[in-house]
Amino acid sequence: MRFLRKPCFAAALALALGGAQAAGTLNVAISLDPGSWDPIDTFLTAWGSVGGNLYDGLTMRGADLTLQPGLATSWEFLDDNQRLRFKLRTGVKFHNGEPFDAEAVKFSFERLLGAEGLKGPQKSNYDSIGEVRVVDEHTVDFVLKRPDPILLTKLAGYGAMIVPPRYIKEKGEAHFNANPVGTGPFKFAGYRPKVSVTLARNDDYWGGKPRLDQVIYRFIGEPGTQVAELQAGRIDIATLIPLGLIDTVKGSSKADVISTPGPVVHALRFNTRNGITRDRDVRRALTMAVDRDAIVKLLLLGQARTIASFQGPLSFGYNPEQKPLPFDPEGARKLLAAAGVKPGAAVRIDVRGNTSNFREVAQAVAGYLQAVGVRATIKPHEASALLNDIIPNGKAGEMWQSQWGGWTYDYDNTAYLMYHSGQKWNPFDDDPKLNAMLEAQRTVYDRKRREAMLQEIAGYVADQALDLPLYSLNTIVGVNKRVRNLELPGDIRFRFLETAVD
């Protein structure tokens, strides 16, 4: 990924919007209100779009994915990688004036790894941390329970954001959820649940004063409404752009579209315990029956690329030499016949009911399967029911929709959670060989060696045909032409430090 700066993607024109927006105010539409602004309560992209401006972690990840110092200026592994020491930035204050120091780091992680963190979805990402020790006011040690080669990257993530001890102790958890305080470039200025949240510039930000006066996020879950608001000039950034409306936005006098590779990948997972998909050759046949290149070209209008494993090119562990199974309907029919699958055999595809793009993709897949003699029915579910009940409790049909953001940009975050026995997203498989491979790479700090191990895992999963990898989807954002110096990370965790508006 690259930095998206004004020569390429931001505006070339300055537009007068008739007072629709105050000078120095950026208006951003995001899909939903996360409901809590506590970093340990969420895994939602919409939270990250806001939280990236409110909070800092010990490390940071730039829009180009490079790992950078955040609230820690340096770090080193000690004691044969069993201890990680951070030197902390001095002179930093939380938005309420409370000083940032080693005690704040210790409090943040003890809270994350304790009873409060247990209520949210982030704790398990940091379970390798056994203890946080204060060495001095600006030095802290993480004592590890086990190796964790991805920890530095995870410390730039959602749950690892540093929070103010005194403020939370005095005000309480419920107050913090609705009135967050961090050390980021913007501070919380107002919140209208289900409507909007407003951030004001932090003039004392350690990384320099932001150029914007404020950022207003509006919660707009309907993509068509986001587009209409963008075209009318009432928002500056739309994060939900339907593929069919890309050309409409591009043709607007007020806005343009930025499309960049993102971390989100789509696949259809297979039920390896029940139905015809118990047979590996059947799973391979169903994969060969689907023309994924045609789906990307015709349904996704080229805003994606086909994948051979459940990760995109930005993922550490991606192997550009690994090729998907080819589109080969005749070969698929032969495999099905050899496996004893009779024409008219049925499969059920479980999908999220609120994703129109994927519903079209699922219908196309069903059509391809019909062409090789397999009758596919599509069953939509509420997203929460599919994710929290149908899949983890093993109620899925022969195939189900799997969409994953891979927020660490590391295949481990996908592969371990998808394929290791006992994981929430793996209700059916128990493969000792694959378990051992997944566990082994988590002990290796040498990047080249671990990358090779991850690539081997991706090859093994493909050989076992545990899923039907579909595509890696571009991140598509509509931007008002008055916006300058926008950096667009693929996971839309915005940092508006240098962004400006005309």
Side-chain angles (χ1 to χ4, degrees), residues 156-222:
Y158 293 49
M161 300 295 97
I162 306 302
V163 298
R166 190 180 69 214
Y167 178 80
I168 293 177
K169 290 174 183 176
E170 291 177 355
K171 300 292 186 178
E173 298 289 348
H175 182 85
F176 180 64
N177 288 350
N179 301 274
V181 167
T183 61
F186 291 86
K187 51 190 177 183
F188 215 67
Y191 178 36
R192 299 169 62 199
K194 308 299 183 183
V195 178
S196 66
V197 60
T198 300
L199 308 185
R201 180 173 62 201
N202 177 11
D203 289 341
D204 299 320
Y205 184 55
W206 58 265
K209 185 166 67 174
R211 298 176 64 184
L212 293 166
D213 294 326
Q214 63 178 0
V215 182
I216 298 175
Y217 295 87
R218 292 174 55 195
F219 308 126
I220 304 175
E222 171 53 46

Side-chain angles (χ1 to χ4, degrees), residues 11-267:
L13 297 174
L15 296 171
L17 297 180
Q21 293 147 320
T25 297
L26 184 76
N27 288 272
V28 183
I30 55 178
S31 59
L32 53 81
D33 180 352
S36 169
W37 299 106
D38 188 332
I40 64 177
D41 285 348
T42 189
F43 58 87
L44 297 172
T45 301
W47 187 97
S49 298
V50 180
N53 288 294
L54 278 171
Y55 296 101
D56 296 310
L58 295 176
T59 63
M60 297 171 58
R61 192 171 59 206
D64 62 351
L65 300 186
T66 58
L67 200 64
Q68 306 168 359
L71 291 175
T73 57
S74 64
W75 49 83
E76 61 177 330
F77 280 96
L78 303 170
D79 300 340
D80 195 24
N81 296 323
Q82 295 180 63
R83 183 161 52 99
L84 181 56
R85 171 163 291 183
F86 291 94
K87 292 292 185 180
L88 305 181
R89 200 171 294 276
T90 60
V92 177
K93 293 186 181 297
F94 289 97
H95 299 150
N96 65 334
E98 186 175 337
F100 161 76
D101 55 19
E103 289 292 346
V105 176
K106 180 178 175 66
F107 172 84
S108 296
F109 282 92
E110 288 182 346
R111 178 173 178 267
L112 167 64
L113 298 170
E116 191 64 29
L118 193 60
K119 301 174 186 177
Q122 288 292 334
K123 178 180 180 295
S124 62
N125 289 317
Y126 303 93
D127 274 346
S128 61
I129 302 170
E131 182 185 358
V132 178
R133 295 176 182 168
V134 172
V135 178
D136 58 42
E137 186 178 4
H138 300 296
T139 309
V140 67
D141 284 353
F142 284 21
V143 181
L144 304 183
K145 293 188 293 187
R146 60 176 182 274
D148 190 348
I150 322 165
L151 181 57
L152 286 171
T153 297
K154 290 190 290 190
L155 291 177
Y158 293 49
M161 300 295 97
I162 306 302
V163 298
R166 190 180 69 214
Y167 178 80
I168 293 177
K169 290 174 183 176
E170 291 177 355
K171 300 292 186 178
E173 298 289 348
H175 182 85
F176 180 64
N177 288 350
N179 301 274
V181 167
T183 61
F186 291 86
K187 51 190 177 183
F188 215 67
Y191 178 36
R192 299 169 62 199
K194 308 299 183 183
V195 178
S196 66
V197 60
T198 300
L199 308 185
R201 180 173 62 201
N202 177 11
D203 289 341
D204 299 320
Y205 184 55
W206 58 265
K209 185 166 67 174
R211 298 176 64 184
L212 293 166
D213 294 326
Q214 63 178 0
V215 182
I216 298 175
Y217 295 87
R218 292 174 55 195
F219 308 126
I220 304 175
E222 171 53 46
T225 304
Q226 284 203 17
V227 170
E229 292 293 280
L230 180 67
Q231 290 179 298
R234 288 187 289 268
I235 61 173
D236 297 303
I237 297 176
T239 54
L240 293 176
I241 302 291
L243 298 176
L245 292 180
I246 289 176
D247 288 341
T248 300
V249 175
K250 285 183 174 181
S252 165
S253 63
K254 287 191 170 84
D256 205 346
V257 171
I258 299 173
S259 177
T260 187
V264 175
V265 285
H266 292 260

